[in-house]
Each structure stands twice: as structure tokens, then as C-alpha cells.
């Protein structure tokens, strides 16, 4: 009986030792891996990414993107995703979001009215998307990638729109520089007028169509100022006055000969020529009234 008890105790001890070793090996030397749990989290994110394609409207689309970004960031920060999984999910997220975002932008560009709130949101979204990066800080949508090219297309339309709006922003207050400058500006306006997307914007197109009219108006207004200024040139010596007089006449000639070809319409300058001659006659009369002749020699004061 005593021998049987000893054998039993020995067997129990062996079992305990063996069980302890197996538990140690399982939990310490080969601890549980979070692979299965990580896959579960990744699958959950993928389902959220797939829902992006089902979103209708920019607000819901943007909300879906925010939810995906927040979920990936949360899991990543808590070590529930591997680096590779995190980067892959970010790529899949943008690969699903950018085409939907691009389609919305292009629909806006095809409309006859472009809303400033939409355009501002496009710019903010493009900036936000470009700032989504991998774990190594490189961009998820690098330059030259299909995703980046879609964003570039939208950004290019916005840049052309900004340039066109900048051209017409002063409207009737445009300043005249030269006929050559006016011709270049009108050609740019025509190019924007026939741009594949800008031509849809009715308000912008109407403004671009007015550019030649505004520039001609500015040119003629400048001519009037040059002519009116001749009334203030009575202090000049005759040679200097004649030089200024001829310079203004040359500007009138240039306008008369070229304005219609550049602008498509022009003013009649006959009244300006008449005014120039009247100013010259007044100048000569005024100079003569302050002169005396002594011994056949004219002295002017």
C-alpha cells in the first residue's frame, strides 16, 4: 500500500512538471500571435472602404472617407494592424475614394453654374488627400500615379478657372497697357472661353466675352486722357510741345488703324483730332500774346 502511494505521487509530480513545461513552451516560448485578430480588423476596414462606393453626394462621400481614415488611424495607433496592412488599407481607401471624388468634381465642372463653396471644398479635399501618407512618410498617391493624375486633372481645371476669373475680376475697370498687350489678353480670354470645362460656366463665359469691349473702352479712355492733358502743356517750349503733340497724334493714329482689328469695334476719333488742333491753336495764341518784336526780332515772355 505504501509503495502504491509512492508511485502515485511520483506520477502526479511527473504530470505536473510535464504540464508546466508544455504551458511555458506554449505561452512563453511560442506566445499567442495576433495574426488572426489583425486580419479581422483589416477585414472590418475593407468593408468600410467598400461602403465608399455606395455613398451618394459629396458630404456622404467625405464622411465615409473620414470614417475610414479614423478607423485605420485608431487601429494603427493601438498596434492592431501591421505596418503593411495599414499602408495597404490606406491605398485601397484612396483607390476607392479618388475616382468617386473625381466624378463629383467633373459633374460640377459640367454644370452651367459653379458654386464657390464646392470649389473651395475641392481644393481642401485635394490637399487633404495628398497629405495621406504611408508609414515611411511617403505619399499614398505619389506624383505620376493614376490616383495623383486624377487629382492633377481637377487641380488643373481649378487653376485655369482662377486664372480666368482673375482676368475678368476688374471688369470695366481694366487698364490699358498697349495694343500688343490687349491682343494677348483677348487671345487668352478666347482660349479660356473654349476650354473643355470652363466653357460650361455661363457667368464666366459672359465675362470672358466682354474682355475685348472692356479693353477697347480702357484704350479709348486713355486716349481721351492723353488728349485732355495737352491743355496742361502750355508751359512747354514750342519744340517740346510739338514733340508731345505729335506723340499723342501718333497714339490716335495707332488706335484708328488697329483698334477695330484687335477689339472688334472702335470709337470714332474725329472729335479727338479736332480737340488736339484746338489745343494747339490755343497754345500758339497764348505764346503770341506774350511776345514783342524789337528790330525785327521776336521776344517772348
Amino acid at each position: 500500500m505504501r509503495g502504491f502511494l509512492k508511485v502515485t505521487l511520483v506520477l502526479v509530480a511527473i504530470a505536473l512538471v510535464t504540464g508546466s513545461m508544455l504551458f511555458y513552451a506554449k505561452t512563453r516560448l511560442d506566445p499567442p500571435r495576433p495574426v488572426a485578430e489583425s486580419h479581422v480588423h483589416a477585414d472590418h476596414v475593407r468593408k468600410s472602404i467598400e461602403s465608399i462606393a455606395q455613398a451618394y453626394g459629396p458630404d456622404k462621400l467625405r464622411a465615409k472617407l473620414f470614417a475610414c481614415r479614423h478607423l485605420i488611424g485608431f487601429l494603427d495607433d493601438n498596434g492592431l494592424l501591421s505596418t503593411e496592412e495599414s499602408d495597404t488599407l490606406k491605398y485601397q481607401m484612396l483607390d476607392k475614394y479618388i475616382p468617386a471624388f473625381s466624378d463629383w468634381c467633373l459633374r460640377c465642372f459640367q454644370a452651367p453654374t459653379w458654386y464657390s463653396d464646392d470649389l473651395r471644398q475641392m481644393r481642401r479635399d485635394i490637399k487633404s488627400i495628398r497629405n495621406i501618407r504611408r508609414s515611411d512618410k511617403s505619399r499614398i498617391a505619389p506624383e505620376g500615379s493614376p490616383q495623383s493624375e486624377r487629382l492633377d486633372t481637377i487641380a488643373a481645371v481649378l487653376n485655369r478657372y482662377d486664372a480666368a476669373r482673375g482676368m475678368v475680376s476688374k471688369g470695366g475697370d481694366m487698364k490699358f497697357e498697349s495694343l500688343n498687350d490687349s491682343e494677348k489678353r483677348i487671345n487668352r480670354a478666347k482660349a479660356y472661353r473654349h476650354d473643355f470645362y470652363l466653357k460650361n460656366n455661363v457667368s464666366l463665359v459672359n465675362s470672358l466675352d466682354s474682355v475685348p469691349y472692356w479693353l477697347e473702352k480702357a484704350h479709348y479712355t486713355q486716349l481721351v486722357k492723353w488728349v485732355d492733358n495737352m491743355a496742361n502743356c502750355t508751359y512747354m517750349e514750342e519744340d517740346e510741345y510739338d514733340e508731345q503733340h505729335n506723340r499723342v497724334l501718333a497714339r490716335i493714329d495707332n488706335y484708328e488703324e488697329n483698334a477695330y482689328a484687335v477689339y472688334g469695334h472702335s470709337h470714332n476719333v474725329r472729335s479727338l483730332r479736332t480737340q488736339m488742333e484746338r489745343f494747339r491753336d490755343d497754345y500758339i495764341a497764348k505764346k503770341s500774346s506774350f511776345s514783342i518784336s524789337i528790330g525785327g526780332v521776336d521776344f517772348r515772355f
Side-chain angles (χ1 to χ4, degrees):
M1 184 67 180
R2 188 175 298 176
F4 175 77
L5 182 59
K6 289 181 179 180
V7 171
T8 300
L9 292 175
V10 171
L11 291 175
V12 171
I14 294 173
L16 290 173
V17 171
T18 303
S20 298
M21 293 177 63
L22 291 175
F23 178 80
Y24 180 84
K26 183 64 178 177
T27 60
R28 301 297 181 181
L29 300 181
D30 185 21
R33 298 178 182 178
V35 175
E37 184 180 2
S38 178
H39 285 321
V40 170
H41 293 312
D43 289 341
H44 181 62
V45 176
R46 290 189 183 94
K47 290 180 181 179
S48 181
I49 291 173
E50 288 300 319
S51 68
I52 292 176
Q54 302 168 4
Y56 182 79
D59 293 336
K60 291 184 178 179
L61 186 63
R62 201 169 296 114
K64 292 288 186 181
L65 177 67
F66 177 83
C68 288
R69 290 185 66 179
H70 179 75
L71 180 58
I72 294 173
F74 174 80
L75 295 174
D76 204 4
D77 292 342
N78 288 276
L80 301 175
L81 291 175
S82 67
T83 298
E84 182 180 354
E85 285 175 326
S86 176
D87 291 345
T88 299
L89 290 171
K90 290 176 185 177
Y91 176 86
Q92 292 173 348
M93 176 182 66
L94 291 190
D95 201 45
K96 187 70 67 173
Y97 177 80
I98 291 178
F101 168 73
S102 175
D103 289 345
W104 168 69
C105 293
L106 296 181
R107 286 196 301 271
C108 291
F109 295 152
Q110 291 166 358
T113 301
W114 295 14
Y115 297 100
S116 57
D117 288 345
D118 288 339
L119 302 182
R120 281 194 294 269
Q121 190 61 57
M122 290 177 194
R123 294 185 178 94
R124 286 195 291 264
D125 286 351
I126 289 174
K127 182 178 180 180
S128 176
I129 293 169
R130 292 193 189 281
N131 284 332
I132 298 178
R133 299 180 180 272
R134 301 178 185 275
S135 302
D136 61 3
K137 306 304 180 183
S138 63
R139 286 182 175 179
I140 294 291
E143 185 176 350
S145 66
Q147 297 95 330
S148 181
E149 289 178 356
R150 282 179 178 268
L151 298 179
D152 291 342
T153 298
I154 304 303
V157 176
L158 293 172
N159 289 339
R160 293 196 300 274
Y161 174 80
D162 289 343
R165 288 297 303 171
M167 170 178 286
V168 302
S169 61
K170 293 185 177 180
D173 293 328
M174 282 187 174
K175 302 298 182 183
F176 171 75
E177 300 294 337
S178 68
L179 266 174
N180 185 52
D181 174 76
S182 292
E183 190 170 16
K184 289 180 179 178
R185 291 164 75 179
I186 290 171
N187 288 336
R188 287 202 306 273
K190 289 179 179 178
Y192 291 135
R193 168 69 176 78
H194 295 95
D195 181 88
F196 185 79
Y197 291 108
L198 300 186
K199 67 182 180 182
N200 299 321
N201 189 314
V202 175
S203 175
L204 179 62
V205 166
N206 289 338
S207 295
L208 292 170
D209 285 341
S210 298
V211 167
Y213 170 79
W214 290 332
L215 285 173
E216 188 279 331
K217 177 185 175 183
H219 190 170
Y220 185 77
T221 299
Q222 186 62 55
L223 271 184
V224 173
K225 290 180 180 179
W226 283 327
V227 171
D228 289 343
N229 187 58
M230 291 303 300
N232 303 319
C233 296
T234 54
Y235 66 90
M236 294 181 176
E237 293 297 329
E238 189 169 353
D239 290 345
E240 186 181 4
Y241 182 90
D242 287 343
E243 182 179 352
Q244 180 67 13
H245 179 84
N246 292 335
R247 183 181 297 115
V248 175
L249 282 179
R251 289 168 174 168
I252 294 175
D253 292 340
N254 187 35
Y255 173 89
E256 188 174 38
E257 294 169 4
N258 301 297
Y260 188 86
V262 172
Y263 305 119
H265 65 284
S266 62
H267 284 74
N268 190 305
V269 295
R270 187 181 298 113
S271 62
L272 296 182
R273 294 187 184 279
T274 300
Q275 192 172 355
M276 287 290 292
E277 291 305 316
R278 186 172 66 251
F279 284 149
R280 180 169 179 77
D281 291 343
D282 291 346
Y283 172 81
I284 293 174
K286 185 174 182 179
K287 287 295 183 182
S288 298
S289 65
F290 287 95
S291 66
I292 60 174
S293 179
I294 301 177
V297 179
D298 291 334
F299 292 91
R300 293 184 178 181
F301 299 90

